[in-house]
């Protein structure tokens, strides 16, 4: 039997290392030596050497190299799942030891603006405390863009809201974020129940076109054909909230984002008996191929998000809300 060294190498005619297995797996997952080199923060020649060394150690050809592309051989397909299991077990060994500083590399994280404006900083602190030697490469974008990047393997983990067009194999719920209507107190719209006509008399500040909340607001006013409403979409929620602060319109905003401005009196909550649906947030990743620390990061996100989640709506509140929405003028 081969002799296993303390550094995770198998002694034989040649040595086999975790780095070689890692290179093999990432070449397959990303489709090229170049992309694997970028992912592993090394050079393309190094990736080529690692794969060649692994093939020599195993005595097999794992991949056929063509100009600009690679494809698995039949033996490569047979051994790929074994390589993944070895890497997962190595991750599990480190986790079980509690020596998580042994993990290195990077987490490519995608988040939406609501998270950047609320609990992203707390998440990054918690993640760094557990994995001090893993860097975080951050992408902030709209949820639809994050979904595209996740399935293109440009990011490892997306903290985002639905709806989604594709199904991820790793999903961790992060909570619901209700929206509320807000405006500057200077507009003098607070302190009474507003009709649809009163709300529509102001520019209606919404999230960007293509977002769920924009579609719902547009449909809500479209159903009230007698009203002339001006929707003002913005891809940046913080900018939209600044516009509301300055009296440039009314806005349907996530309550968790509006809370500081409400507390400071810069915004007031409006009493209008309809709001877009609450945003359902989840952490999404590829459970079949991701490193173990990606799934752990999703769980950290769940724990951090729980501190920011609003209280669950009581059954009597739901009944009351339903009745109110049926009474919109």
């Amino acid at each position: 039997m081969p002799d296993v060294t303390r550094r995770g190498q198998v002694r034989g005619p040649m040595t086999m290392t975790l780095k070689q297995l890692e290179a093999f797996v990432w070449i397959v997952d990303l489709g090229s030596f170049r992309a694997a080199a970028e992912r592993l923060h090394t050079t393309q020649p190094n990736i080529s050497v690692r794969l060649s060394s692994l093939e020599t150690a195993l005595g097999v050809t794992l991949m056929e190299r063509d100009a600009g592309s690679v494809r698995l051989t039949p033996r490569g397909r047979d051994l790929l799942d074994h390589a993944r299991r070895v890497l997962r077990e190595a991750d599990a060994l480190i986790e079980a030891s509690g020596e998580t500083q042994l993990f290195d590399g990077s987490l490519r994280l995608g988040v939406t603006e609501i998270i950047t404006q609320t609990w992203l900083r707390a998440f990054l602190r918690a993640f760094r405390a557990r994995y001090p030697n893993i860097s975080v490469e951050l992408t902030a974008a709209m949820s639809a863009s994050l979904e595209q990047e996740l399935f293109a393997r440009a990011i490892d983990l997306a903290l985002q809201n639905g709806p989604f067009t594709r199904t991820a194999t790793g999903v961790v719920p992060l909570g619901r974020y209700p929206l509320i209507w807000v405006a500057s107190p200077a507009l003098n719209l607070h302190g009474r129940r507003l009709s649809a006509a009163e709300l529509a008399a102001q520019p209606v500040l919404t999230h960007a076109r293509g977002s769920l909340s924009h579609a719902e607001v547009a449909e809500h006013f479209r159903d009230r054909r007698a009203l002339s409403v001006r929707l003002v979409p913005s891809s940046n929620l913080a900018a939209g909230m600044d516009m509301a602060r300055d009296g440039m319109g009314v806005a349907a905003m996530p309550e968790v984002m509006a809370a500081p401005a409400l507390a400071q009196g810069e915004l007031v909550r409006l009493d209008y008996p309809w709001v877009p649906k609450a945003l359902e947030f989840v952490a999404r990743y590829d459970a079949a191929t991701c490193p173990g620390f990606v799934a752990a990061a999703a769980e950290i996100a769940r724990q951090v998000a729980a501190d920011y989640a609003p209280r669950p709506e009581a059954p009597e509140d739901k009944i009351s809300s339903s009745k109110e929405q049926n009474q919109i003028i």
Side-chain angles (χ1 to χ4, degrees):
M1 292 183 65
D3 180 23
V4 181
T5 73
R6 293 179 63 187
R7 294 186 178 180
Q9 297 179 338
V10 179
R11 284 204 185 96
M14 293 289 288
T15 59
M16 183 176 67
T17 69
L18 294 177
K19 285 188 178 295
Q20 293 166 359
L21 294 174
E22 191 177 45
F24 171 42
V25 167
W26 279 113
I27 293 168
V28 174
D29 288 346
L30 299 179
S32 73
F33 284 68
R34 178 189 57 78
E38 291 177 357
R39 180 68 180 86
L40 297 174
H41 302 287
T42 187
T43 65
Q44 188 169 327
N46 278 346
I47 293 296
S48 297
V49 169
R50 291 178 192 179
L51 182 67
S52 296
S53 298
L54 179 60
E55 290 177 322
T56 301
L58 296 177
V60 299
T61 299
L62 298 170
M63 291 182 173
E64 298 290 349
R65 287 84 153 170
D66 293 328
S69 66
V70 294
R71 65 180 183 276
L72 286 169
T73 64
R75 287 296 285 147
R77 283 192 293 273
D78 292 340
L79 295 175
L80 177 60
D81 285 342
H82 293 282
R84 292 194 195 279
R85 282 199 293 273
V86 170
L87 293 174
R88 281 197 291 267
E89 289 301 320
D91 285 352
L93 175 63
I94 295 174
E95 289 283 0
S97 73
E99 299 297 322
T100 52
Q101 75 276 5
L102 294 176
F103 284 105
D104 61 8
S106 62
L107 171 68
R108 298 171 303 170
L109 176 66
V111 299
T112 63
E113 185 186 2
I114 293 175
I115 293 174
T116 65
Q117 296 288 334
T118 53
W119 51 267
L120 176 63
R121 187 178 181 189
F123 166 81
L124 293 175
R125 286 175 171 172
F127 183 78
R128 184 177 182 182
R130 182 165 173 181
Y131 299 104
N133 293 319
I134 295 180
S135 61
V136 176
E137 300 175 10
L138 186 64
T139 297
M142 291 183 61
S143 190
S145 297
L146 294 180
E147 183 176 39
Q148 292 176 0
E149 296 204 23
L150 181 66
F151 284 90
R153 300 187 185 277
I155 57 177
D156 303 312
L157 176 65
L159 309 181
Q160 58 182 149
N161 60 285
F164 306 116
T165 61
R166 302 178 66 175
T167 301
T169 54
V171 178
V172 176
L174 301 178
R176 300 172 71 253
Y177 290 82
L179 278 69
I180 60 173
W181 288 100
V182 296
S184 166
L187 295 182
N188 197 29
L189 295 173
H190 55 296
R192 67 183 187 278
R193 172 62 57 92
L194 297 176
S195 68
E198 288 176 299
L199 199 71
Q202 304 291 331
V204 178
L205 311 173
T206 73
H207 202 6
R209 289 185 177 89
S211 68
L212 177 62
S213 58
H214 177 274
E216 290 182 344
V217 171
E219 182 179 3
H220 174 74
F221 286 105
R222 191 181 304 120
D223 291 342
R224 288 151 183 81
R225 295 182 177 85
L227 298 177
S228 176
V229 62
R230 178 188 173 198
L231 300 186
V232 183
S234 172
S235 61
N236 187 289
L237 285 173
M241 194 153 58
D242 285 342
M243 293 170 69
R245 281 192 184 101
D246 292 337
M248 300 173 69
V250 298
M253 286 286 166
E255 185 174 9
V256 68
M257 278 187 66
L262 290 170
Q264 295 168 9
E266 297 176 325
L267 290 174
V268 290
R269 185 168 183 160
L270 303 182
D271 184 4
Y272 182 66
W274 176 88
V275 289
K277 294 176 183 175
L279 301 176
E280 301 273 356
F281 273 81
V282 293
R284 304 174 81 215
Y285 59 95
D286 186 343
T289 64
C290 73
F293 62 78
V294 175
E299 180 59 24
I300 292 171
R302 184 193 65 78
Q303 296 168 2
V304 172
D307 293 334
Y308 288 80
R311 67 172 180 85
E313 191 176 15
E316 58 269 22
D317 292 339
K318 292 183 180 179
I319 295 172
S320 174
S321 176
S322 176
K323 290 179 178 178
E324 288 175 343
Q325 292 195 26
N326 289 330
Q327 297 171 356
I328 297 175
I329 298 173

